[in-house]
Amino acid sequence: MFTYPNPVDDNVGRVVAGGVLIMCVAAIAFDQPWILIPLTYGFWARLAAGPRFSPLALLASRVIVPWLGLAPKPVPGPPKRFSQGIGVAFSTTALVLAFGFGLTTAAWVVVALLACAAFLESVLGICLGCKVFSLLMRAGIIPESVCEECADLSRRHPS
């Protein structure tokens, strides 16, 4: 029940990132800190179990991506899970700043950084968390056994 899929559909990830971007922009633009609650829940749910408990991920995978008619684009799951962990850190920090300390301006700065990452993922297909994951693997901090496909690019690109 609490496993992360591997591989994952990159199209679903990009649509989810688009939803995160919309939530971040709406929270900041309309000064609505309550939006941080479902935003943070979504990251925690996706980190814990992939799309199973995330309304945004379920909407993306079962409605939006099929409606768009996009063919599945499988990518390794571990870097995407790592990215969800970074989203957990940012969204939880913003939530605590806003509701725990009343520091909404500081929370909006954190949410704006999260929005930038979501923009890069959703619009340009650049996953910052995946880039950091790759750097940590190359540095030996994340062992190759965590994602053998990530460690051996010939598995994805035989040519």
Side-chain angles (χ1 to χ4, degrees), residues 6 18-19 23 28 54 73 95 108 111 118 129 156-157:
N6 186 25
M23 293 171 76
I28 295 168
S54 166
K73 184 179 176 188
L95 186 73
W108 295 148
V111 172
R156 280 188 278 165
H157 308 287

Side-chain angles (χ1 to χ4, degrees), residues 4 13 16-17 20 39-40 42-48 50 54 57 77-91 114 121 127 129-130:
Y4 199 86
V16 168
V20 167
L39 179 71
T40 303
F43 277 112
W44 277 102
R46 290 186 298 277
L47 177 67
S54 166
K80 295 295 186 181
R81 187 175 204 180
F82 181 82
S83 297
Q84 295 303 316
I86 293 172
V88 161
F90 275 73
S91 62
L114 187 58
E121 170 77 13
C127 175
C130 298

Side-chain angles (χ1 to χ4, degrees), residues 22-122:
I22 291 167
M23 293 171 76
C24 289
V25 169
I28 295 168
F30 300 113
D31 194 24
Q32 296 296 315
W34 69 266
I35 296 174
L36 297 175
I37 296 168
L39 179 71
T40 303
Y41 167 78
F43 277 112
W44 277 102
R46 290 186 298 277
L47 177 67
R52 269 180 215 93
F53 304 117
S54 166
L56 180 56
L58 290 169
L59 178 67
S61 63
R62 296 190 178 161
V63 178
I64 298 172
V65 170
W67 178 74
L68 292 172
L70 300 172
K73 184 179 176 188
V75 295
K80 295 295 186 181
R81 187 175 204 180
F82 181 82
S83 297
Q84 295 303 316
I86 293 172
V88 161
F90 275 73
S91 62
T92 302
T93 297
L95 186 73
V96 169
L97 286 169
F99 288 101
F101 298 103
L103 301 171
T104 53
T105 302
W108 295 148
V109 171
V110 174
V111 172
L113 294 171
L114 187 58
C116 290
F119 172 82
L120 290 172
E121 170 77 13
S122 65

